[in-house]
Amino acid sequence: MKLKLRHIPLLVLGLYATSSSAMEPFVVKDIRVEGIQRTEAGTVFNYLPVKVGETIDDQRAAQAIKALYGTGFFKDVRLEQEGGVLVVTVQERPAIAQIEFTGNKAFPSDKMKEGLKQIGLSEGMIFDRSMLDKAEQEIKRQYLSQGKYGATVKAVVNPLERNRVAVRFDIEEGAVSKIRSINIVGNQVFEDSDLLEQFTLTTPNWMSWWTKDDQYSKQRLTADLEALRSFYMNQGYLEFNVESTQVSITPDKRDIYITVNISEGEKYTVTDVKMAGEMLVPEDELRTLITLQPGEIFNREKLTSSSKAIGDRLGNDGYAFANVNAVPEVDKEKHTVAFTFFVDPGRRVYVRRINLTGNTRTRDEVLRREMRQLESGWYAADKINRSKQRLERLNYFEEVNIETPAVPGTADQVDVNLDVTEKSTGSVMFGAGLSSSEGVVFGVTVNQANFLGTGNRVSAQVNTGKVNTTYSLSYTDPYFTPDGVSRGFDLYRKDVDSSSLDVGSYSTASYGAGVRFGIPLNERDTFSMGLTLDYTSIDLESDSPDRYKDYCDSTSGCDNTTLRLDSGWTHDTRDNILFPNKGVLQKLSGEVGLPGLDQEYYKINYQHTWYKDVTKNVTLMLNGELGYGASYGSQDFPFFKSFYAGGVNSVRGYETSAIGPRDIDSSTGDDFAVGGTKRVVANAELFFPVPFIKDSKQFRLSAFLDAGSVWGQSGGTNIEGNCDGASDCLRYSTGVGVSWYSPFGPIKLVLAKPLNEQEGDKTEVLQFQLGSQF
């Protein structure tokens, strides 16, 4: 017998009506609640849709019972009449007094309780037996995500006094299921090893305990199959297809076998690339954005990036919803394909409003002044992307998210919704570092990068090392003027003790105060200028080199006052400051001791660093540095301003400051580096990820080739192998290194070998630094 759906509401009302026992209508003079143990009577009165003085009949009684059932507090509700009193008799559902777990090792009990609370099962809540199956499935799902396919979960309910229950989940975790084999069937062009390199899933290896890449996941397998498809498509196999995938598990739930059946198809060549549609940007300009050219092997990555580049270019002119589709014309007999890029720019839109959320401490103006997209201006995708980059580089926020929804009811307006997640920008750090040149470095830094939410930076720093000891106090206003000119003030004291370096023995104590300005020339270029009054006291020992003593005799003595002018230009297009993958960094800086005081000299430095992402995970870095210094007037060039090379940050494999001319101390007979007024350094370095650690943003390996020379000072003539000219002093080295941005600060470890070591050179095979000194 079939029950029609329209009869169900009648049956439900009939069920409620039976609980009210076909009540005769009467006026309620009072209401009495019976059977409650934990629930307050006021709670029942609140949900009961009948009040004293009202008339109740069968229909209202059914409504009252339905309302009380709907609370979920009761498993039985009855209404009765005693004279003019409405008697509400209830039977409460039990409450969950406690939830326990047995046999769980992979997940802590408190974490599992938090997970069950998300699905509505927790201590103190009303017990609902229907939730047990859901809870069991949720717990089992968590174990499946860890590859434990043999895990079993059973819920046990024990009644307690006062209408309560205890829920216990008995868990048998079982062993972790491992992928024992990934078999690819149907490949003829590429070897299995080449295809398996595209997979993140793999069979057990020595790093699987850390990466968990030998544990099956349906989501990861789907991603791997898409990566395999992209690999073939980028090699020209337009018709590649995954025919089927089989995943089997052994009866003991320990071993998993994956079989992927593929069809490679033929390799296709591109015969023609055309454009069609509405060309609001000159076609010649759009064609330069297409990287897939006729005569090339088909490459899906190039095709996708070309469509995106055209869409982004249209987005820069306000066409936020431009649609670019590359439609293929396939010739299966000749195995060729032609593409037509259909361009639909859509309607040009402008930004109505920029909405800010999440900045509870940071003032709105701090965010708005970094925005390159303006309200009431045409939408520009490049300006919005640049705005996000500038906000991220502030380092005030953990996350910066920008959305551009269309304004409801309009066809030509969007809003820019900017949501940030703030992080702590103030810190008091006590730390220590270790360097092969500085030794142990102790430091304390009090820093507030976003002082009172204004975006101004205040910093006090103390760093003590074997060579350099610095005390400084600085304040920077990055927007001293509305157009982005920054102004900063600095107070410092810096002590240098060279006794542990391969240079002549001396020490200096410098005190100074200065003011500096930064002037943005455009989005990537900045010009800086500063003026500093510096007092430097030079302390020479009896065994200090004669050339140092001669310097003090030829000038006003070992105490010098300098009014120093600093200026510089910086061009920075790097995509990341910590671990760049592409972009250029150029720096031109100079300092001049202005005439009229004790030191009259100038120094010029130029650095050009170029990054190129050779592949997704491999980056090539080329760096070149030039330095030149001289004195003017009758003053000698200050020896403590000389250039040096060698060490972990210039030419690795040689001791810090060891490259260049050398001299002999007449009193001790020891030779030392004298530095120079000219310096050149060149580095070529290939960065790549640490094996078995994929997509790490903290580790990076490198192989490098360094070269550098310092000259311009005359060395001692009786030192074997000494050098005076640029070519004579040129040194090469090669090696490998690892960088780790650790919680304790950046760590750099280098293993280097000099390639043209000369007699008397000071070399180091292993060099390292820990802390912010590099």
Side-chain angles (χ1 to χ4, degrees), residues 13-233:
L13 290 176
L15 175 64
Y16 291 132
T18 58
S19 298
S20 60
S21 303
M23 182 175 295
E24 292 293 331
F26 72 97
V27 177
V28 178
K29 298 179 180 179
D30 194 12
I31 300 175
R32 187 172 74 245
V33 181
E34 296 181 351
I36 56 176
Q37 300 180 40
R38 299 181 313 276
T39 309
E40 296 290 336
T43 302
V44 178
F45 294 146
N46 183 55
Y47 285 101
L48 193 66
V50 179
K51 309 300 179 186
V52 174
E54 296 179 349
T55 300
I56 185 170
D57 54 16
D58 284 347
Q59 184 177 0
R60 297 200 66 184
Q63 292 174 354
I65 293 173
K66 183 178 180 180
L68 293 178
Y69 267 120
T71 64
F73 299 156
F74 313 110
K75 62 180 180 180
D76 188 28
V77 179
R78 299 188 66 82
L79 299 184
E80 297 176 351
Q81 174 188 1
E82 292 184 5
V85 178
L86 177 63
V87 180
V88 182
T89 304
V90 298
Q91 184 178 352
E92 292 179 322
R93 292 183 183 274
I96 301 174
Q98 62 186 34
I99 297 177
E100 296 179 336
F101 303 90
T102 62
N104 56 305
K105 298 178 182 178
F107 299 101
S109 296
D110 56 343
K111 297 296 183 183
M112 297 183 72
K113 287 183 179 180
E114 290 180 8
L116 293 181
K117 188 175 182 179
Q118 300 298 321
I119 64 171
L121 192 69
S122 66
E123 295 174 351
M125 296 184 67
I126 301 300
F127 173 66
D128 185 352
R129 185 170 291 275
S130 65
M131 295 297 299
L132 287 184
D133 289 340
K134 189 175 181 181
E136 288 178 352
Q137 294 302 319
E138 174 62 22
I139 295 174
K140 192 166 184 178
R141 187 184 67 81
Q142 295 295 330
Y143 279 101
L144 291 179
S145 68
Q146 285 204 348
K148 296 186 177 183
Y149 290 88
T152 61
V153 182
K154 183 179 181 181
V156 179
V157 180
N158 296 314
L160 302 175
E161 69 280 359
R162 300 196 306 277
N163 198 25
R164 299 178 303 155
V165 295
V167 180
R168 186 182 74 249
F169 292 94
D170 295 330
I171 301 171
E172 292 183 8
E173 294 184 337
V176 176
S177 303
K178 304 288 187 180
I179 299 174
R180 296 302 173 188
S181 172
I182 301 178
N183 187 29
I184 299 178
V185 179
N187 56 304
Q188 298 178 357
V189 179
F190 298 101
E191 299 292 336
D192 288 356
S193 58
D194 296 329
L195 302 183
L196 290 176
E197 285 182 0
Q198 314 306 316
F199 282 58
T200 57
L201 293 176
T202 183
T203 53
N205 55 71
W206 69 278
M207 280 295 292
S208 293
W209 65 273
W210 173 262
T211 61
K212 310 297 183 185
D213 54 5
D214 60 347
Q215 298 178 12
Y216 171 75
S217 165
K218 183 178 180 180
Q219 292 77 13
R220 293 176 69 179
L221 178 59
T222 301
D224 287 346
L225 294 178
E226 184 56 33
L228 183 63
R229 185 185 308 277
S230 297
F231 173 77
Y232 269 96
M233 289 284 190

Side-chain angles (χ1 to χ4, degrees), residues 572-590:
D572 191 355
T573 63
R574 293 174 298 172
D575 61 338
N576 185 287
I577 295 177
L578 180 62
F579 286 157
N581 292 312
K582 57 184 176 181
V584 173
L585 173 65
Q586 293 185 74
K587 289 184 177 181
L588 177 63
S589 62

Side-chain angles (χ1 to χ4, degrees), residues 1 25 119-120 254 476 490 533 535 543 552 586 643 679 702:
M1 177 179 179
I119 64 171
R254 290 180 176 270
T476 304
D490 300 288
L533 183 63
Y535 171 79
D543 61 346
C552 289
Q586 293 185 74
F643 292 104
R679 178 180 185 264
S702 66

Side-chain angles (χ1 to χ4, degrees), residues 313-321 345 347-350 378-381:
R313 174 62 186 86
L314 292 170
N316 295 343
D317 286 351
Y319 300 94
F321 306 110
R347 185 182 294 271
R348 193 179 189 190
V349 300
Y350 65 90
W378 290 115
Y379 173 95

Side-chain angles (χ1 to χ4, degrees), residues 491-502:
L491 292 172
Y492 67 87
R493 173 182 172 177
K494 183 176 181 179
D495 297 334
V496 177
D497 183 358
S498 69
S499 59
S500 61
L501 296 177
D502 185 36

Side-chain angles (χ1 to χ4, degrees), residues 430-643:
F430 297 88
L434 189 62
S435 167
S436 53
S437 61
E438 289 274 347
V440 178
V441 180
F442 295 100
V444 56
T445 301
V446 180
N447 183 61
Q448 176 52 265
N450 187 13
F451 185 66
L452 299 178
T454 62
N456 298 335
R457 179 183 295 273
V458 178
S459 177
Q461 187 175 38
V462 176
N463 280 313
T464 61
K466 189 163 53 175
V467 177
N468 293 285
T469 301
T470 304
Y471 309 88
S472 66
L473 177 66
S474 66
Y475 169 83
T476 304
D477 180 358
Y479 278 82
F480 173 61
T481 65
D483 53 356
V485 175
S486 65
R487 182 183 66 176
F489 299 97
D490 300 288
L491 292 172
Y492 67 87
R493 173 182 172 177
K494 183 176 181 179
D495 297 334
V496 177
D497 183 358
S498 69
S499 59
S500 61
L501 296 177
D502 185 36
V503 299
S505 175
Y506 73 92
S507 61
T508 63
S510 300
Y511 306 83
V515 61
R516 50 189 161 76
F517 295 90
I519 305 171
L521 303 178
N522 51 49
E523 287 297 314
R524 302 294 187 178
D525 297 81
T526 303
F527 176 75
S528 61
M529 179 179 296
L531 200 61
T532 301
L533 183 63
D534 177 272
Y535 171 79
T536 298
S537 176
I538 306 171
D539 186 15
L540 301 178
E541 304 294 338
S542 59
D543 61 346
S544 295
D546 292 338
R547 65 173 62 225
Y548 296 173
K549 298 175 182 178
D550 293 341
Y551 172 80
C552 289
D553 293 339
S554 64
T555 59
S556 58
C558 285
D559 295 335
N560 298 274
T561 302
T562 306
L563 184 61
R564 191 179 74 236
L565 174 66
D566 299 292
S567 62
W569 164 74
T570 301
H571 174 73
D572 191 355
T573 63
R574 293 174 298 172
D575 61 338
N576 185 287
I577 295 177
L578 180 62
F579 286 157
N581 292 312
K582 57 184 176 181
V584 173
L585 173 65
Q586 293 185 74
K587 289 184 177 181
L588 177 63
S589 62
E591 62 176 91
V592 179
L594 296 178
L597 295 177
D598 298 328
Q599 293 182 8
E600 297 178 346
Y601 73 97
Y602 62 90
K603 289 180 68 175
I604 301 174
N605 290 276
Y606 175 70
Q607 177 185 1
H608 189 126
T609 308
W610 177 79
Y611 296 91
K612 173 63 177 177
D613 48 345
V614 181
T615 68
K616 179 180 178 181
N617 297 315
V618 178
T619 301
L620 174 65
M621 186 275 289
L622 300 177
N623 176 68
E625 300 177 36
L626 298 173
Y628 181 82
S631 60
Y632 60 92
S634 59
Q635 304 281 355
D636 290 337
F637 186 77
F639 68 87
F640 50 89
K641 293 288 185 179
S642 295
F643 292 104

